[in-house]
Amino acid sequence: MAEIHTPYSSLKKLLSLLNGFVAVSGIILVGLGIGGKCGGTSLTSVLGVSTAYLLHVGFLCLVMGCATILLGCAGWYGATKESRGMLLFCILSMIIVLIVEVTAATVVLLFFPVVRDVALEHSFVTLRKNYRGYNEPDDYSTQWNLVMEKLKCCGVKNYTDFSGSSFEMTTGHTYPRGCCKSIGTVACDGRNVSTYVIHQKGCFQKLLKITKTQSFTLSGGSLGAAVIQLPGILATLLLFIKLG
């Protein structure tokens, strides 16, 4: 039996393919959102509210990703059924998503210099005031211990950040065990500041590099998703006009 071709069959097939790409872009946004939320939570606890934008944009990407996947399916349904109402809904919704993606990418790029300028002093003051020690159960100390061990660094600027801090006044130690290259050794006594014993460089530059990477990943991913979605929006608009 010969295949029956309805009007606009080629355009509908193209639109079905493009809606598949739209759904894929939604999956990308969901992945970015999860990564942004996880990374943003850790950075915010250490660097303060100046990095909270990563957490918010990550959540936004997660919501937009879920919405985009649903809109990809709705667009495919609207094209298959030749439903102008459904196509119009998809067009308007995807335009809103597109605008939000571009805005989110712009916000991330604009906020990164703020982190660089504000977070250093804020982190330094907060560390000297709130850090308690290596085995302390509070979240702030736990996060900093994790950062210093994983990134192999000590303090915000360098190991002298702990001199005169509440930590030193409480324990009498010049630095916490998290700064040591080998925590279990006798030399790691809180007083020996030899380069063979502790990591003398601070963590801020390494944390800033992580923040920069996450910022560029979020902004690049959002813009990339927008580029993937744009042909689908245009094809949907074209079919909507032709059906009229």
Side-chain angles (χ1 to χ4, degrees):
M1 180 180 283
E3 184 180 355
I4 299 174
H5 290 273
T6 59
Y8 322 122
S9 292
S10 298
L11 182 57
K12 286 163 62 177
K13 288 179 180 178
L14 174 62
L15 187 53
S16 295
L17 177 63
L18 291 176
N19 279 316
F21 286 126
V22 169
V24 170
S25 73
I27 295 172
I28 293 172
L29 286 172
V30 169
L32 285 173
I34 294 172
K37 278 180 64 64
C38 294
T41 301
S42 300
L43 287 171
T44 301
S45 63
V46 174
L47 294 179
V49 293
S50 57
T51 56
Y53 72 95
L54 290 174
L55 194 62
H56 300 321
V57 173
F59 179 75
L60 189 60
C61 284
L62 188 59
V63 173
M64 286 192 304
C66 294
T68 301
I69 293 172
L70 294 175
L71 286 171
C73 297
W76 170 83
Y77 177 83
T80 303
K81 300 297 183 180
E82 299 186 1
S83 170
R84 295 187 81 237
M86 182 63 73
L87 291 175
L88 180 61
F89 170 76
C90 290
I91 292 168
L92 296 177
S93 299
M94 286 306 302
I95 289 174
I96 293 172
V97 169
L98 195 70
I99 292 171
V100 173
E101 287 168 348
V102 174
T103 303
T106 305
V107 167
V108 168
L109 293 177
L110 288 176
F111 264 88
F112 178 70
V114 175
V115 175
R116 186 179 55 212
D117 297 336
V118 175
L120 176 59
E121 189 60 30
H122 177 273
S123 303
F124 176 70
V125 172
T126 308
L127 178 73
R128 290 174 60 81
K129 180 181 178 182
N130 294 339
Y131 182 80
R132 296 180 182 177
Y134 186 73
N135 287 322
E136 295 298 324
D138 64 293
D139 291 338
Y140 184 80
S141 299
T142 301
Q143 287 293 339
W144 260 110
N145 290 327
L146 187 63
V147 165
M148 291 189 289
E149 285 186 51
K150 283 195 170 185
L151 299 184
K152 301 184 185 306
C153 53
C154 185
V156 178
K157 301 175 182 178
N158 54 53
Y159 72 97
T160 62
D161 291 351
F162 296 99
S163 297
S165 67
S166 60
F167 165 76
E168 185 184 41
M169 288 186 282
T170 303
T171 64
H173 294 162
T174 309
Y175 58 84
R177 281 195 290 168
C179 293
C180 294
K181 293 182 177 180
S182 182
I183 295 175
T185 60
V186 178
C188 178
D189 58 4
R191 296 179 179 84
N192 189 338
V193 296
S194 168
T195 54
Y196 297 104
V197 178
I198 66 170
H199 302 287
Q200 294 191 341
K201 292 184 178 180
C203 302
F204 184 75
Q205 289 302 321
K206 293 183 177 182
L207 288 169
L208 192 64
K209 186 176 180 180
I210 294 172
T211 304
K212 183 177 180 180
T213 300
Q214 288 199 359
S215 297
F216 283 22
T217 300
L218 278 174
S219 59
S222 295
L223 291 175
V227 170
I228 293 173
Q229 293 159 10
L230 187 58
I233 295 173
L234 295 176
T236 304
L237 179 61
L238 180 60
L239 181 58
F240 174 79
I241 294 171
K242 284 185 175 293
L243 287 174

